[in-house]
Amino acid sequence: MRLFRLAKIVSVFHRYGLDEFVLTDSPNLLLRGLGKLLGSRKHDAPRGARLRLALESLGPCFVKFGQVLSTRPDLIPPDIASELSLLQDRVPPFPAEEVKVVLEKAYGRPVDQVFASFDWTPIASASVAQVHFGAIQLKVADTFESRDVAIKILRPNIKPVIESDLAILRVLAGWVERFSADGRRLKPREVVAEFDKYLHDELDLVREAGNCSQLRRNFAGSPLLYMPEVHWDWCEQTVMVMERLYATPVSQIDKLRAAGVDIKRLARDGVEIFFTQVFRDGFFHADMHPGNIAVRTNLENLGQYVGMDFGIVGTLNDNDRRYLAENFLAFFRRDYRRVATAHIESGWVPPGTRVDELESAVRSVCEPIFDRPLADISFGKVLLRLFQVSRRFNVEIQPQLVLLQKTLLNVEGLGRQLDPYLDLWATAQPFLEKWMRDQVGPEAMWQRLIEQAPYLSSALPQVPRLIHQALEQRNSPPASVVVRTSTGWTNVWLAIIAICLLAILGTLWIPLLLE
């Protein structure tokens, strides 16, 4: 079966001329000659369009692979990345009989005993799952209340198909790496491994439900964003049940405007939501295209965003967030040297990189853009060009930063769709400056000391001994030299250090005890 699948893939690649990517550029003379023979076919469509059409014809797994590949502009040429970003999941729904099988296997009982009502006609269908509407009886206190829900169901028997296609993709990646002149630079094996991770994450709907709950908790009570409530008692690995949201797709601007939504404010709110997720929480929805975003139009929540599809999220640690904020602010201030040093300090470029060369490269990307009105500047495209320049300096592109760049492009595209004159930079700069002040100011330092107080209290008794050992080692003479050491000064320094540490610890604990 796998052999037949591989034969079909090779046939499709040949039909769209994709074999030319490998054979005509191969360093192997025989393969290059074969490529010229096979590549003599004429193709009117650009290579990116041909690749997109081939992936669509090969089915859901390859469509999803193309979508992930489009997020790696650091690895593939811009024309291909741009074309692959147009890939959509146009997958027919699976029939009601199969829906019933999946649900009854997940719950171990008939569907009508699980749901108060169930609409067998799907509302949406994609490569990995499809969504139905229904209702559940939720126990609240001593009574039961009916709740409308959205039910996401994994495609039946999708895992064996995906595993088979992934095995074939690994083989193809090995061919590209071995026979293509650009094979090693494009890192096809790493791309497939990253795709493998994303796809398996999406196959676990309990994990997706956890992502949704975390985002909901992060924005609890926020007027900007609402995330659906997850009904955990109904969630399984193949089924996710959440609150049904009544909202208008963000792409239907005319309907939103007719409902009284302030479209320009909506664009600014989208930017604020993105930067809040990234810098305040370090946990962000990484698939924020218009198909996954809607807007509430009832009077109580007019203009509030709602999110959907939580299969892909990104995370950033404290160091990533700090260096990203420094990079962004340096861009705003045209301080290219700070951009270069921040890249080196963060470890994103090799430590031996010359700061002046990296500074010059960053300037060549940014300076022409700053001569244009801010409203005409695409922040996402600036990052895209920086990723391209980064190849020269062997920048190690971290997966979480690539997800961030992809999401920023989505947010900026959505914002400009809502407001063509949206100034992403002016909207983001005050937020970032405030965030940086909060991170490095006295209040932030005091908060971190409070958080570390329990650790300090347990480690403090050991500090004088460790310092005494260090000073003794420092003052110890070589074996061939006899030097008189002064234990008096050592003890004085130990006393001073201990007193300072006790004072610090006292300032941490006394306010806590008085509360």
Side-chain angles (χ1 to χ4, degrees):
M1 181 66 71
R2 189 172 295 178
L3 186 60
F4 287 114
R5 179 63 169 163
L6 181 59
K8 179 181 178 181
I9 292 170
V10 172
S11 174
V12 169
F13 274 38
H14 177 69
R15 185 194 322 155
Y16 288 100
L18 302 183
D19 49 301
E20 299 173 13
F21 291 177
V22 177
L23 297 178
T24 56
D25 294 331
S26 174
N28 185 288
L29 183 62
L30 180 61
L31 288 174
R32 196 161 59 244
L34 178 61
K36 289 182 179 180
L37 178 63
L38 295 176
S40 60
R41 308 177 308 283
K42 291 185 178 180
H43 296 283
D44 296 330
R47 60 179 183 173
R50 285 185 279 131
L51 178 58
R52 175 178 59 81
L53 292 171
L55 295 177
E56 286 179 343
S57 69
L58 287 172
C61 186
F62 283 82
V63 168
K64 186 68 69 174
F65 176 67
Q67 291 174 332
V68 172
L69 196 62
S70 71
T71 70
R72 296 306 306 260
D74 56 306
L75 298 180
I76 62 176
D79 62 314
I80 295 179
S82 176
E83 189 68 35
L84 293 184
S85 67
L86 302 176
L87 281 169
Q88 299 293 328
D89 283 345
R90 289 186 284 266
V91 182
F94 51 94
E97 293 79 8
E98 295 184 10
V99 172
K100 182 179 179 181
V101 170
V102 173
L103 292 176
E104 291 185 350
K105 182 178 180 180
Y107 296 117
R109 49 197 171 123
V111 176
D112 58 3
Q113 293 182 17
V114 178
F115 299 100
S117 65
F118 187 88
D119 187 348
W120 294 96
T121 302
I123 191 64
S125 178
S127 57
V128 172
Q130 68 186 35
V131 179
H132 294 253
F133 286 150
I136 60 173
Q137 289 293 320
L138 187 67
K139 188 174 182 180
V140 179
D142 295 329
T143 62
F144 285 90
E145 297 180 1
S146 179
R147 298 285 179 88
D148 292 339
V149 293
I151 306 152
K152 187 171 185 177
I153 306 169
L154 204 66
R155 283 186 172 272
N157 303 315
I158 188 69
K159 288 186 177 180
V161 174
I162 285 176
E163 293 296 348
S164 177
D165 280 352
L166 282 171
I168 293 173
L169 281 171
R170 294 186 193 101
V171 172
L172 295 175
W175 289 356
V176 172
E177 189 172 280
R178 182 175 180 182
F179 298 124
S180 173
D182 277 342
R184 291 186 178 180
R185 181 181 65 80
L186 296 177
K187 302 178 181 178
R189 293 176 189 266
E190 292 184 20
V191 173
V192 173
E194 189 173 324
F195 171 61
D196 188 336
K197 176 183 178 298
Y198 289 153
L199 198 52
H200 278 91
D201 286 346
E202 288 196 61
L203 292 177
D204 185 354
L205 297 187
V206 171
R207 180 186 178 279
E208 180 173 341
N211 294 338
C212 178
S213 287
Q214 181 66 54
L215 289 167
R216 176 179 171 85
R217 186 160 52 251
N218 290 347
F219 282 85
S222 170
L224 300 177
L225 178 65
Y226 183 83
M227 293 295 180
E229 178 185 0
V230 174
H231 296 294
W232 284 105
D233 290 342
W234 284 263
C235 287
E236 302 289 342
Q237 190 172 13
T238 57
V239 186
M240 175 183 172
V241 178
M242 56 189 159
E243 173 186 2
R244 179 177 175 179
L245 300 174
Y246 294 89
T248 302
V250 72
S251 57
Q252 298 180 8
I253 300 176
D254 291 340
K255 287 187 177 181
L256 294 175
R257 187 176 285 112
V261 175
D262 185 338
I263 302 300
K264 290 187 176 181
R265 179 180 176 182
L266 195 65
R268 295 193 301 272
D269 287 350
V271 175
E272 183 176 344
I273 289 170
F274 168 75
F275 281 99
T276 300
Q277 289 184 68
V278 170
F279 290 101
R280 186 194 69 183
D281 305 328
F283 187 88
F284 59 95
H285 191 306
D287 201 15
M288 294 179 66
H289 60 75
N292 286 338
I293 303 172
V295 181
R296 299 171 102 177
T297 54
N298 60 314
L299 291 178
E300 185 180 355
N301 302 295
L302 186 65
Q304 185 182 42
Y305 281 99
V306 295
M308 295 171 280
D309 197 344
F310 313 97
I312 302 178
V313 297
T315 58
L316 297 170
N317 60 35
D318 291 342
N319 287 336
D320 285 339
R321 281 184 278 174
R322 186 175 71 254
Y323 283 117
L324 279 171
E326 289 182 2
N327 271 284
F328 287 158
L329 290 173
F331 282 135
F332 298 147
R333 298 163 184 165
R334 302 170 79 162
D335 185 355
Y336 308 124
R337 189 168 189 84
R338 181 57 197 146
V339 174
T341 56
H343 272 69
I344 295 172
E345 290 171 0
S346 66
W348 299 341
V349 296
T353 302
R354 287 184 54 177
V355 176
D356 58 335
E357 290 185 356
L358 184 55
E359 177 188 2
S360 177
V362 173
R363 182 182 294 108
S364 69
V365 172
C366 299
E367 197 63 27
I369 298 172
F370 277 105
D371 290 335
R372 302 166 58 192
L374 281 175
D376 295 338
I377 297 173
S378 169
F379 198 15
K381 290 181 179 179
V382 171
L383 287 183
L384 188 62
R385 291 187 62 188
L386 284 172
F387 275 140
Q388 295 166 10
V389 169
S390 68
R391 295 176 185 172
R392 171 185 165 193
F393 295 92
N394 297 317
V395 174
E396 288 291 331
I397 303 298
Q398 303 298 321
Q400 70 271 24
L401 300 183
V402 174
L403 280 177
L404 177 72
Q405 185 262 348
K406 165 188 178 287
T407 308
L408 181 56
L409 286 171
N410 285 339
V411 170
E412 185 177 55
L414 172 63
R416 292 188 188 276
Q417 180 182 351
L418 296 171
D419 180 7
Y421 297 99
L422 172 69
D423 188 342
L424 182 67
W425 295 30
T427 306
Q429 185 170 357
F431 181 94
L432 288 174
E433 289 177 339
K434 181 181 182 300
W435 185 84
M436 284 296 289
R437 287 195 302 269
D438 292 343
Q439 292 299 302
V440 301
E443 292 184 4
M445 184 179 297
W446 177 251
Q447 182 62 35
R448 282 192 285 272
L449 284 172
I450 291 176
E451 292 172 356
Q452 294 297 319
Y455 171 78
L456 289 173
S457 65
S458 62
L460 184 61
Q462 305 177 40
V463 172
R465 176 177 56 83
L466 295 174
I467 295 175
H468 184 271
Q469 290 176 356
L471 290 174
E472 279 190 337
Q473 290 175 2
R474 180 178 179 182
N475 294 330
S476 294
S480 58
V481 180
V482 178
V483 177
R484 177 177 295 179
T485 60
S486 175
T487 57
W489 279 110
T490 300
N491 292 332
V492 170
W493 280 112
L494 287 174
I496 293 173
I497 293 170
I499 291 170
C500 291
L501 288 171
L502 287 171
I504 292 173
L505 192 62
T507 60
L508 290 174
W509 281 110
I510 290 173
L512 295 178
L513 293 172
L514 293 176
E515 288 182 356

